[in-house]
Amino acid sequence: MPATTLDQPPSDAESVASSAPVLRCAGLRKRFGELLAVDGLSLEVAPGESYGLLGPNGAGKTTSISMICGLLASDDGIVEVAGNRLTTASVAAKSQLGYVPQEIAIYLDMTARENLRFFARLYNMRGRAASARIDAVLELIGLAERADDLVKEYSGGMQRRLNMGLGLLHEPRLLVLDEPTVGVDPQSRNAILASIEQLGQSGIGVLYTTHYMEEAERFCDRIGIIDHGKLIAEGTHRELIALVGGQDRVLLSASGDLTRAAEALREVSGVRQVLQSDDGLDLIVDEAGRLLPTLLERAVAAGTSLTAVEARKSNLETVFLHLTGRALRD
Amino acid sequence: MPVAVLIAAKDLHQRMRDRTAIVAALVIPFVMATILGVTLPNISNRSTAKYQIGVVNDDHGPAALFFVQEVLGSLQRQNLLQLHPTSMAGGRALVRSGRANATLVLPRGFSLAANGESPTHIEIIGNGQIFKQVGTYVVRSVAQSFANQLNSVRLAIASTRKPHASSNEIIRLGEHASEAPKQLKLHEVGLRSKELNLKTHEAAGLTIFFLFFTVQFGFLSIIEERNHGTLARLLAASVSRRSIVFAKLLTCIALGVLSTAVLAAATTLILGADWGGFPGVALLVLACVIAATALSACIATFAQTVQQAIEWQAIIAGLLGAFGGAVFPIAQSGGTLASLSLLTPQAQFLRGLGLLSHGGGPATVLSMLATILAFAAILGGVAMLRMRRLLEV
């Protein structure tokens, strides 16, 4: 069991000893019939690093996570957790890994303490050390006062927090969170994100999947963008933004002949990409501030009626659009 | 504590907290057994081992007297039969009113015919109702055995070239030559051993009927855990699929044995049911729990949802229970249906209990155990072949 705690960052000695990646996967591949769900995924997560796996629904995030956690056998490729090879039958590697699934995976007809005690025993935690750790986790997730109430009496947010606490219970070297904020109210979402930020500071490696780019931007040290089962880009937030060369995004909400308008806008110098949707046009341009008057003029001239205009600095959404020609939330 | 035991303990803890499960496993079968015990007092208070038989002796000859006093009388002394000498009309009335299981009529000239070579017959007035047919069979068997004895003695006498032996001589020779009473007795004991008294039948039948519902919670919980995501969490926590299956198996067996033990104890103490010797009963219960577990595991591997599995289990367990005589003693109806019902664990369980409740030991129920375990092996085999599908997350 690693000695790292949530409250204290690892000592220098520990940092040196654990400088090897806590997660390394290479060439992961999974096919379901005709569908190639994951196609050669390779990534590494260092100790204390938060890695966000960003992609739209159906991109292959959950399949990747399932293979990384040993829930699903891969067709090809390897996964190592804290240096231990992980398969569906692994014990050593899985004991270094905490998993927080997308759904609330807890026993509703048991109390929070009973849930934690059950999983503590599964992880071979015993006696006073186990009790102390359970109390610490209850404090961390803010459920100490309701620890002996049945979980089914909790609010959704409290259940989410317990869901996360169970993943942290055995002090894993790597915490894998599969879209932990889906369907969560803003208050609980902020609490969860704050906890994850704290985890990164405590030395635990975090692999985090989401399709909310704001979350990935907020606390991920590095981000991998996945689409159709392939990792199409990887790097820090700044590195990814640099992929689009400082380009900006312009959203024109409009009606009328959008096809004609799109063709007209593509001819404007500095317009890199034009994407047509039901309610308007989505553009990637070199300098939004300079080009905006021209863009509006051309769009109106092409027979559209504008209802709203929005210019944004480059973000991960822009990067995804640039790389795939599709919006992240399609 | 091994992981499988830990998971099974968690499952049992959850079940104990679920009042619905306790009601289904314990309260309903006990209440139903009690209700049936109360609403069928005339039947349940009477030992089926002691049949009420009307006897119409229109002959009064030596062969008829021997049959009534020695053959039937011997069975009465063993408390197997209660004889009611009566007239033809009285005999019919006894059967019609349910006071006798059957009436046996020895026609005038019976002894003379037995003495000579002319054919004769014994008439049996039986009752067609399902609970009383056994009595008819008993009497028919006794009469048939007696007729066989007479025929065999006749053959023996003919072979000794003594064509004019008196009926008394025939009977004496018959006793001596073929030990007729022992054969009759053996035949009768065979019939008797298949019967449970009705109180016990209802108690054991309903217990075994509900057992097939009680154990389903074990393997159904895999579908629940899969749907709720806790199965993925267990698998991510380095719990092997084999441990999970073993844990669910333990849960089923613990639930089944526990509920059966509680019901057996309660029906014995409160209803006066007689389940028989502990070792044999324990073996039968364990075999049935395994069979019920195999069925529920098999169903769980085919079902998409918990609700679907519950519905399928209810249909199959209900059919098996009804067909196996868990509610009504279908085996006593005779014929193909009764023979086919022996393919069910329920029928074999009740048949085994019948032997045990009349003093049989564990060895007497080996064939029943084998049939029940064969049922379990077939369904369990199918379940194991499909188990990987159930454990996919």
Side-chain angles (χ1 to χ4, degrees), chain B residues 129-151:
Chain B
Q129 288 178 38
I130 193 165
F131 290 117
K132 306 200 172 97
Q133 274 196 347
V134 180
T136 311
Y137 289 137
V138 171
V139 174
R140 185 189 297 162
S141 298
V142 173
Q144 186 64 53
S145 297
F146 184 69
N148 289 344
Q149 290 304 318
L150 280 180
N151 290 336

Side-chain angles (χ1 to χ4, degrees), chain B residues 5 49 51 148 167 191 209 233 281:
Chain B
V5 176
Y51 299 108
N148 289 344
S167 56
L191 266 177
F209 182 82
R233 180 154 247 154
V281 174

Side-chain angles (χ1 to χ4, degrees), chain A residues 50-53 208 215-223 237:
Chain A
S50 294
Y51 187 105
L53 198 56
Y208 182 94
E215 290 180 9
E217 284 174 343
R218 175 172 160 182
F219 67 85
C220 288
D221 300 315
R222 283 195 304 137
I223 297 159
H237 182 228

Side-chain angles (χ1 to χ4, degrees), chain A residues 21-44:
Chain A
V22 286
L23 172 66
R24 186 174 83 84
C25 46
L28 276 185
R29 201 178 304 277
K30 185 69 187 179
R31 179 181 288 280
F32 297 108
E34 292 296 306
L35 175 71
L36 187 58
V38 176
D39 185 9
L41 179 79
S42 298
L43 59 87
E44 288 187 2

